[in-house]
């Protein structure tokens, strides 16, 4: 324990790294100020442009928030940032701040509100604080807060949850309930007293939600009863699903019979799942009335005790990841099966944070189904991970068609062998970091014996690099220094049994011969099927030549079998010992287990890098009604004539009502033709009047901010072209049918013209986005991201990660937290976006161009906004390079700031200036969830302290200590090693959180591997399934019969049944105007336009998987039950689609 | 006119008393002791049969009865020389006429099928209105100059306005129109299901009809009093193959049909039984709902029907069995369903007549409309006053609308046949449904509306949705009287 003393006496030992620290610290400070400077530049440009009044608002609508407090304030809209900062500085915990702020809101310290409003704000603020002001849950997940009446006359608090509460996560959901309880006491409300009927309603409704949507955890009926009857706040919700409860309907105090998703989430994934955490908070706050939580927790702990008592059970194979298998997405390994992924611990410079590292050769060998960024569903420790290429771990071992068994470690070899493979005996290693085990609270599994472990064991004895040593040296090291056998020469002895060992040993000793020439020797013996199988099990490379098995590397093998140089037996096998012990005994070598733990995996969803397109994708947010035709093309609209004698291009659409402040005319734009600014006005459809206020003074009804107007798009288009000085655009200029925002606010046609010209598409909020799968990166080589040393230095990078000055493009450099590497395709799209923005600035706003980018490299150094779905806070990023992958590499901190990990999810980037210029709140749809996935605020400098805490568990060390590897052998809880392996969390309080992270494994190239998953490149489902099955047949770790059965029962059958049911209840639509009909019109024609009516569910879409399913069920001999289900479905399909009256009559029937 | 009779299993002292009480006997405590000690519980039916008309059963009576019955000490009834019931009579010729979809399904799954199906529905029901309503086509509303107009149309949509009135959208083959229902008509409008054909009278103003009358096609009073001296038994939802199938209750039922249990009166009824109607869900099926394999006893669909065949084999051949499928059976789920395909039908005894769902069966002059009843779910959902505890109320609504499944697009899948066979175009004597596992019986305008229960205990799913089945309740119709027999007692 001497080592720990160093920590207490840093003065004695001036670490050379301190100097480095100062260098890096300065670099990061410069980096931050550089970012801020560039943000300011962009804001300045945008402010100037928007002040011209050509957009819905005359100011930039994405405010900057420097920290969590400001984000919360901007989300909620009351001045609480300062107070939150004060409380944070006083050292109060995040959870307590929630309660404090909530209390102060009720007490009116941030303004006077009526009770319901105050309760509402208090609860929302608490959720916002707990979710760092990033996710949309506080504004979208809580529909409203109300006060209900108990039957004893008292009043209680109701919280109406909505679907987006999901994004808040369990803890924040629970906090909202707890804060609700806390504030209702202050406001003097009683607790909620449910009736028996109401309790039963919850018991029926929550499982129903699980059925129609999804729940991670379904509480038992007793648990639901316990929660509902005791929870002091009424957990209510908006209806989110179409499904209705059938039992407990029309209850007086439950406003809907439909399923309330938000409610189900809060009870099931919130209270039931987070009861221990809730209990802890309740205790700390000394809240009464929550004693029942003990019962909920006890139930859980009982279950856990059970688990603890038979620890081994926990480590049993888990097949959950196979349960929602999809056709065409292969299984790579059945749970914990031999031949499956061998677990190797570590974090590569491009892994960690819910990713799995795979050797690029494995990607190729598995039929290209694993690409960089492809999501893999895994058996453990978590549920899924994004795939990253790590070339320094083992690839697969395969048997070729000629019988040779070879290890494949590079993509080049894989390419060479891929058509000659007969079977994949072992799929290779999978790299998972310690932090992911900790994050998932999963017991550590025994580590494979690998080079890192071996290195740790011998580091005090041997010095130098022993990465690629030959057999002779490996044996020599063992014999001379008594170190364990090198992992490269360790075979999978534990995968055979004692009889097999004896059989192999006897055979080799009797029949084996050593042959050699030119100083090279090999072991040969006659080909024998059983013996070959054993060799394949222990995964030793060999060849088959002229009826003989040839082992080129045989010395360690013979030694392990206890045979001497002439293959004579030295000792006898000890039947009391297991195989591995016998190997050690026979060889006198310390031989370790090479693959004690295997990880099952299947393909999840494919990787993605694609521009965001709505369907159909518009170039502008401008309504064309039906005049644009099916393509919504402005070019069609300008020739549209409603009737024979109406003007060309005249259309009637809903548009905003605005009144010019100068000339008093009505217009649709914020700036009138006369140059004056216009303000929003309202229109009462009943009284046909334009008003100033939202409520009609005459009829008292609500007025709209829009009305149906006749406009001439031909004139508007020609005017726009003239404004821009553009000539006709060749391509289509697509608009929308109508707008979904409250006042039907639309964009100027000029923007659409320019977007169409550059081939970019607009999203519903006015921005142009590019979606990419998230992948992590902490260190890069300039050469792999296409950036020169000079450029890199300009951007503030002066050293490699070890502090050496940058000179070589292959040096490894630590990535700065907000720098991102775009997919190459993303770069090309963004280049077009930048050109669109530049033209917009020059031709529309009359300003100077900003980007001046002509080629990809010109985008380097420019800023973007990263934004994840379900969130509403963008994160500032900077482009520093491009990688030829279909994913976006960025610092784990950056992803965490967007509240994402890298388990296969995707999110988007947009150019900063695009967001600032074109985004407007007024474009956002006026419906639940409309404000999600919109950049409502922008985080400029990200602080790892304020990002999703999952990333705090990522380890940042160069090597794992011996203690760790030993702990894995006893299935230790990863918590035991907290503090032993440094994680981000250990650095949060120091500036070192920004730099000096380390990794355990290097990789050749972050883009080296399969680029496009075969799932995407194969076109038909038939091809995909064939490929999936052919891989299943080749992989030793996969049972193809089980795959076929699962594909049929979990994908094809539900699809067949679903479509079949849908057919008999289908809606109809008009082929011409697309009007939907619940039932076919009796007239047989569209009532609106007289067009023909067509089906929405066709025979072909029902039948599409029938033949394939039948083929699979026959070829892979699935269970009788499944076969019969298929048979019945076919019977049903035939009965529905074959007319029994008009069967074809055979000629023979006439005779 | 409902006779309540219970059969089933016995057990303790109290239950033996109860068993006798239910058969109309009082029993002396010592007599109970004898039965209990010597394990004669299974022979209670036989004992009652022997005893005839005495009111109080004494220990002597019991001993005598046991002697007559030649009951061994193991409690088994001696077969050879015991009081074995009169053996089956020779089967007479049945007069059975059936009308259903079997063998003449015309749908091909094109949009025209749907159009023809709904037009068939419209035309058939329009005919029913003939003579009562003098209607005009919707398209000509604007042309006629009448104060009061009448139209016949299919309901497309019903909306409640902010003032509590209803706007009903109605279509015929010429066009569509909105109808405003106010005042008293609100109630009628609120119970419109959608897709039923109705007649509306009212004044036409502003392209809208202000209704003063909403008329359902309805059935006329059926004064045809059906009094046949043979018995008709109605069951459904047996669910052979399910692990919640109530074997004991079923066996008791079969025994009763064989005149092996029940008092004299009950035996008399049993003897008269000539027809047994089964309204669907004979077996539990495979793949009917996700995870069904966990609740099956027999996993093989052929195995399930083999079991069904063997069980029905035990029913006396003098009884004609009319078997119609349900949503658990091995035919298409979309209604109308044809009869079971040959490969399954062949597994049943010869006295089983396979019909479709729905099916019109004329049994010796009694017109029975048999329908599995899937639409009951949809209708209960839409009309709050209807309830699973009395499904015959739903049948009443079907009769009113002259359609077995008015709602399109609900839970009941529809096969778009050219003719809509779900229209109640004739006036039946008896309507028999099942599906919801509860019992219900009522007369509506002289028509007997029956919902037979089930032979399956409450399933996990039913528990969740608060559905309480009433297994083993069997309606029996004989001589113009309805009896309700119970073969299940909850423990």
């Amino acid at each position: 324990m001497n080592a720990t003393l160093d920590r207490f006496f840093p003065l004695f030992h001036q670490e050379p790294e301190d100097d480095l620290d100062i260098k890096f610290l300065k670099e990061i400070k410069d980096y931050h100020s550089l970012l801020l400077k560039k943000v300011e530049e962009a804001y300045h440009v945008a402010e100037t442009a928007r002040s011209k009044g050509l957009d819905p608002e005359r100011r930039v609508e994405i405010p900057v928030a420097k920290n969590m407090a400001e984000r919360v304030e901007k989300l909620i809209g009351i001045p609480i940032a300062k107070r939150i900062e004060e409380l944070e500085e006083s050292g109060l915990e995040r959870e307590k701040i929630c309660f404090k702020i909530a209390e102060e809101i009720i007490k009116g310290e941030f303004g006077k509100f009526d009770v319901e409003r105050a309760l509402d704000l208090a609860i929302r603020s608490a959720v916002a604080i707990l979710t760092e002001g990033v996710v949309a849950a506080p504004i979208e997940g809580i529909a409203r807060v109300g006060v209900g009446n108990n039957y004893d006359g008292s009043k209680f608090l109701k919280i109406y949850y909505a679907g987006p509460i999901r994004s808040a996560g369990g803890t924040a959901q629970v906090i909202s309930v707890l804060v609700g309880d806390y504030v209702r006491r202050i406001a003097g409300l009683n607790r909620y007293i449910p009736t028996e009927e109401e309790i039963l309603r919850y018991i029926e409704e929550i499982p129903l939600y699980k059925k129609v949507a999804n729940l991670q955890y379904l509480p038992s009926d007793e648990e639901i009863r316990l929660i509902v009857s005791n929870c002091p706040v009424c957990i209510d919700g908006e209806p989110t699903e179409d499904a209705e409860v059938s039992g407990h309907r029309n209850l007086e105090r439950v406003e809907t019979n439909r399923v309330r998703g938000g409610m189900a989430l809060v009870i099931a994934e919130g209270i039931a799942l987070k009861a221990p955490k809730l209990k802890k908070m309740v205790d700390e706050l000394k809240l009464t009335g929550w004693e029942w939580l003990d019962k909920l927790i006890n139930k859980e702990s009982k279950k856990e005790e059970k688990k603890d008592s038979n620890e081994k059970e926990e480590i049993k194979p888990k097949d959950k990841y196979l349960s929602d298998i999809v056709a065409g997405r292969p299984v790579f390994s059945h749970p914990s099966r031999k031949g499956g992924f061998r677990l190797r611990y570590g974090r590569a410079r491009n892994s960690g944070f819910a990713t799995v590292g795979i050797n690029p050769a494995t990607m190729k060998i598995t039929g290209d189904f694993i690409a960089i960024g492809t999501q893999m569903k895994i058996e453990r420790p978590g549920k899924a991970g994004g795939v990253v290429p790590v070339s320094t771990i083992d690839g697969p071992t395969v048997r070729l068609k000629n019988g040779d068994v070879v290890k494949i470690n590079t993509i080049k070899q894989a390419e060479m062998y891929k058509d000659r493979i007969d079977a994949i005996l072992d799929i290779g290693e999978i790299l998972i970091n310690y932090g992911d085990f900790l994050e998932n609270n999963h017991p550590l599994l025994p580590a494979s014996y690998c080079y890192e472990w071996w290195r740790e064991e011998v580091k005090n004895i041997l010095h130098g690099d022993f990465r690629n040593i030959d057999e002779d040296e490996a044996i020599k090291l063992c014999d001379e220094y008594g170190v364990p056998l090198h992992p490269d020469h360790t075979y999978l002895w534990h995968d055979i049994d004692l009889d097999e060992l004896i059989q192999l040993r006897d055979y080799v000793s009797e029949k084996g011969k050593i042959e050699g020439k030119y100083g090279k020797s090999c072991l040969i013996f006659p080909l024998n099927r059983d013996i070959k199988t054993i060799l394949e099990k222990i995964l030793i490379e060999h060849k088959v030549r002229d009826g003989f098995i040839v082992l080129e590397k045989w010395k360690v093998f013979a030694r392990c079998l206890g045979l001497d140089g002439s293959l004579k037996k030295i000792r006898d096998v000890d039947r009391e010992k297991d195989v591995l012990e016998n190997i050690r005994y026979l060889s006198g070598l310390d031989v370790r287990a090479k693959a004690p733990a295997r990880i099952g995996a299947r393909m999840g969803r494919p990787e993605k890098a694609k521009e965001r397109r709505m369907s159909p994708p518009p170039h502008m947010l401008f309504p064309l009604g039906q005049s644009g035709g099916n393509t919504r093309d402005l070019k069609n609209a300008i020739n549209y004539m409603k009737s024979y004698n109406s003007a060309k291009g005249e259309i009637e659409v809903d548009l905003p009502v605005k009144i010019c402040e100068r000339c008093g005319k009505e217009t649709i734009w914020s700036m009138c033709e006369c140059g004056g600014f216009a303000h929003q006005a309202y229109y009462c459809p009943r009284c046909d009047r334009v008003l100033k206020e939202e409520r009609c003074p005459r009829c008292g009804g609500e007025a709209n901010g829009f009305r149906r107007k006749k406009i001439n798009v031909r004139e508007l288009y020609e005017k726009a072209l003239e404004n821009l000085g553009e000539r006709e655009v060749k391509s289509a200029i697509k608009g929308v049918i109508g707008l979904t925002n409250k006042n039907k606010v639309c964009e100027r046609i000029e923007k659409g013209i320019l977007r169409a010209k550059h081939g970019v598409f607009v999203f519903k909020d006015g921005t142009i986005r590019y979606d990419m799968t998230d992948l992590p990166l902490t260190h890069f080589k300039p050469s792999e991201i296409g950036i020169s040393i000079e450029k890199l230095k300009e951007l503030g990078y002066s050293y490699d990660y070890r502090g050496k000055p940058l000179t070589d493009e292959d040096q490894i450099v630590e990535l700065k937290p907000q720098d991102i590497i775009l997919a190459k395709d993303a770069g090309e799209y963004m280049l077009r976006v930048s050109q669109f923005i530049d033209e917009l600035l020059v031709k529309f706003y009359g300003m100077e161009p900003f980007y001046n980018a002509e080629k990809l490299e010109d985008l380097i150094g420019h800023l973007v906004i990263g934004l994840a779905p379900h969130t509403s806070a963008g994160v500032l990023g900077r482009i520093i390079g491009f990688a030829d992958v279909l994913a976006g590499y960025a610092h784990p901190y950056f992803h965490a700031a967007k509240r994402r990990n890298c388990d296969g999810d995707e999110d988007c980037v947009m150019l900063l200036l695009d967001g600032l210029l074109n985004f407007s709140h007024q474009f956002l749809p006026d419906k639940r969830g409309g404000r999600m996935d919109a950049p409502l605020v922008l985080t400029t400098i990200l602080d790892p302290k304020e990002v999703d805490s999952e990333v705090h568990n990522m380890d940042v060390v160069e090597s794992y200590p011996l203690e760790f590897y030993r702990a894995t052998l006893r299935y230790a809880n990863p918590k035991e090693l907290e503090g032993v392996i440094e994680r981000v969390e250990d650095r949060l309080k120091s500036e070192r959180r920004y730099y000096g992270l380390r990794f355990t494994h290097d990789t050749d190239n972050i883009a080296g591997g399969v680029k496009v998953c075969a799932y995407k490149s194969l076109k038909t489902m038939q091809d995909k399934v064939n490929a999936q099955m052919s891989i299943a047949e080749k992989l030793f770790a996969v049972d193809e019969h089980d795959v076929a059965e699962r594909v049929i029962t979990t994908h094809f059958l539900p699809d067949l049944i679903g479509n079949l049911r849908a057919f008999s209840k289908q809606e109809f639509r008009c082929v011409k105007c697309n009007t939907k009909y619940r039932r076919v019109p009796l007239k047989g024609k569209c009532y609106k336009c007289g067009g023909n009516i067509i089906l929405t569910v066709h025979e072909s879409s029902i039948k599409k998987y029938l033949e394939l399913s039948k083929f699979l069920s026959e070829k892979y001999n699935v269970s009788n039950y499944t076969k019969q289900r298929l048979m019945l479905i076919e019977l049903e399909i035939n009965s529905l689609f074959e007319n029994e009256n008009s069967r074809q009559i055979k000629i023979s029937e006439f005779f | 006119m409902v006779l309540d009779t219970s059969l089933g299993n016995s057990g303790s002292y109290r239950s033996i008393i109860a068993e006798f009480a239910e058969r109309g006997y009082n029993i002396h405590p010592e007599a109970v002791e004898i039965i209990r000690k010597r394990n004669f519980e299974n022979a209670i039916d036989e004992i009652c049969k022997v005893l005839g008309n005495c009111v109080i059963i004494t220990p002597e009576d019991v001993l005598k009865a046991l002697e007559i019955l030649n009951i061994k000490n193991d409690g088994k009834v001696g077969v050879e020389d015991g009081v074995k019931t009169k053996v089956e009579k020779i089967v007479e010729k049945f007069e059975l006429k059936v009308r259903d979809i079997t063998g003449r399904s015309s749908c091909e799954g094109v949009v025209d099928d749907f159009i023809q199906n709904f037009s068939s529905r419209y035309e058939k029901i329009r005919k029913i209105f003939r003579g009562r309503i003098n209607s005009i086509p919707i398209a000509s509303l604007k042309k006629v100059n009448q104060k009061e107009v009448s139209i016949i149309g299919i309901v497309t949509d019903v909306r409640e306005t902010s003032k509590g009135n209803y706007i009903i959208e109605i279509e015929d083959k010429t066009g569509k129109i909105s109808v405003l229902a106010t005042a008293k008509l609100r109630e009628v409008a609120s119970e419109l299901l959608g897709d039923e054909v109705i007649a509306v009278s009212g004044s036409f103003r502003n392209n809208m009809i202000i209704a003063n009358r909403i008329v359902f096609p309805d059935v006329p009073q059926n004064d045809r009093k059906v009094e046949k001296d043979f018995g008709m038994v109605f069951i459904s939802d047996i669910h052979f193959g399910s692990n919640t199938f109530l074997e004991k209750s079923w066996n008791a039922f079969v025994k009763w049909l064989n005149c092996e249990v029940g008092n004299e009166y009950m035996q008399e009824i049993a003897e008269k039984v000539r027809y047994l109607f089964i309204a669907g869900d004979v077996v539990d099926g495979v793949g009917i709902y996700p995870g069904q394999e966990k609740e099956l006893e027999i996993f093989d669909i052929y195995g399930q029907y083999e079991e069904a065949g063997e069980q029905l084999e035990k029913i006396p051949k003098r009884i004609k069995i009319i078997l119609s499928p349900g949503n658990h059976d091995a035919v298409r789920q979309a209604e109308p369903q044809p009869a079971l395909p040959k490969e399954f039908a062949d597994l049943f005894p010869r006295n089983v007549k396979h019909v479709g769902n729905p099916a019109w069966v004329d049994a010796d002059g009694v017109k029975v409309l048999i329908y599995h009843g899937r639409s009951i779910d949809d209708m209960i959902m839409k009309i709050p006053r209807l309830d699973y505890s009395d499904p015959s109320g739903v049948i009443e609504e079907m009769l009113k609308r002259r359609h077995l499944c008015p709602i399109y697009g609900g839970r009941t899948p529809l096969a778009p046949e050219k003719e809509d066979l779900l229209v109640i175009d004739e006036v039946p004597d008896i309507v028999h449904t099942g599906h919801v596992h509860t019992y219900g019986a009522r007369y509506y305008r002289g028509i007997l509306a029956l919902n037979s229960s089930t032979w399956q205990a409450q399933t996990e799913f039913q528990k969740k949705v608060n559905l309480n089945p009433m297994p083993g309740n069997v309606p029996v119709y004989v001589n113009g009287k309805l009896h309700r027999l119970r073969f299940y007692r909850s423990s």
Side-chain angles (χ1 to χ4, degrees), chain B residues 26-50:
Chain B
N26 293 313
I27 184 163
H28 193 276
E30 276 182 47
V32 175
E33 275 308 306
I34 294 169
I35 291 170
R36 206 164 70 93
K37 274 191 187 147
R38 294 167 69 176
N39 288 328
F40 290 149
E41 284 98 331
N42 294 333
I44 290 175
D45 289 311
E46 276 76 13
I47 294 169
C48 294
K49 252 181 267 168
V50 176

Side-chain angles (χ1 to χ4, degrees), chain A residues 1066 1079 1082 1087 1124 1132 1140, chain B residues 105 171 195 301 333 408:
Chain A
Q1066 67 180 298
R1079 180 207 348 107
L1082 213 52
Y1087 282 115
Q1124 289 190 351
E1132 186 158 359
E1140 292 178 308
Chain B
S105 168
E171 287 174 45
D195 309 312
I301 186 71
Q333 297 227 351
Y408 170 78

Side-chain angles (χ1 to χ4, degrees), chain A residues 304-350:
Chain A
E304 268 184 18
E305 262 169 41
K306 239 190 186 166
K307 269 185 198 162
D308 285 345
S309 62
N310 33 29
E311 181 100 20
K312 285 281 177 286
E313 193 171 68
E314 170 82 28
I315 310 301
K316 270 189 178 165
K318 278 200 287 193
D319 69 349
K320 197 153 179 248
Y321 71 100
L322 287 178
S323 63
D324 48 356
I325 188 170
V326 179
R329 303 187 187 178
V331 175
F332 300 119
S333 161
H334 267 69
S336 308
R337 203 170 284 195
K338 286 173 191 175
F341 283 108
R342 287 179 275 137
L343 173 63
R344 187 154 173 179
Y345 286 102
R347 192 184 76 78
R349 60 189 173 87
N350 59 340

Side-chain angles (χ1 to χ4, degrees), chain A residues 71-278:
Chain A
R71 285 197 298 268
V72 171
E73 173 169 312
K74 274 159 188 155
L75 222 49
I76 303 296
I78 51 170
I80 48 176
K82 229 180 108 210
R83 181 65 183 144
I84 296 174
E85 277 172 29
E86 272 173 36
L87 292 170
E88 274 198 314
E89 272 161 35
S90 74
L92 209 59
E93 285 166 46
R94 196 56 67 76
E95 276 95 354
K96 294 211 173 124
I97 296 177
C98 297
F99 286 91
K100 193 80 191 144
I101 292 287
E103 184 177 345
E104 290 176 5
I105 291 173
I106 301 290
K107 290 188 174 156
E109 292 182 21
F110 306 103
K112 284 267 168 275
F113 310 105
D114 65 54
V115 183
E116 272 184 42
R117 174 98 176 113
L119 289 167
D120 184 279
L121 287 170
I123 294 166
R124 286 179 205 272
S125 304
V127 177
I129 292 168
L130 213 68
T131 51
E132 274 100 22
V134 174
V135 302
I139 41 174
E140 296 285 350
I142 297 171
R144 63 197 162 94
V145 167
V147 175
N149 296 312
N150 276 320
Y151 289 111
D152 66 0
S154 59
K155 292 189 183 306
F156 65 90
L157 176 70
K158 276 178 160 190
I159 305 177
Y160 291 81
Y161 292 96
I165 194 68
R166 191 183 275 275
S167 64
T171 313
Q173 290 168 13
V174 166
I175 278 273
S176 68
V177 178
L178 209 52
V179 168
D181 183 38
Y182 188 71
V183 293
R184 65 109 188 148
R185 287 163 199 254
I186 301 171
L189 299 178
N190 193 6
R191 49 159 305 182
Y192 165 56
I193 308 165
T195 63
E196 176 64 18
E197 268 280 284
E198 285 165 359
I199 296 170
L200 289 170
R201 162 70 187 258
Y202 282 97
I203 293 176
E204 180 187 351
E205 189 172 349
I206 293 171
L208 184 59
Y209 178 71
K210 159 101 182 170
K211 212 169 124 189
V212 295
N214 197 21
L215 279 178
Q216 279 178 31
Y217 172 74
L218 179 65
S220 68
D221 293 359
E222 297 84 72
E223 282 174 301
I224 299 174
R225 176 177 288 276
L226 188 70
I227 293 167
V228 175
S229 49
N230 289 295
C231 183
V233 174
C234 172
I235 299 166
D236 206 322
E238 285 193 328
T240 57
E241 312 299 315
D242 286 332
E244 293 193 355
V245 292
S246 53
H248 309 276
R249 301 168 60 82
N250 306 320
L251 306 185
E252 191 190 335
R253 297 198 295 190
V254 184
E255 285 132 66
T256 176
N257 285 330
R258 280 166 58 197
V259 170
R260 299 164 292 170
M263 173 283 286
L265 281 166
V266 172
I267 290 185
E269 291 183 5
I271 299 181
L273 214 54
K274 301 280 177 202
K277 198 153 197 173
L278 187 56

Side-chain angles (χ1 to χ4, degrees), chain B residues 456-475:
Chain B
Q456 188 182 32
Q458 191 178 38
T459 61
E460 281 307 308
F461 172 73
Q462 289 168 342
K463 220 176 269 176
K464 279 263 149 66
V465 302
N466 195 25
L467 194 86
N468 295 304
M470 313 173 185
N473 280 264
V474 177

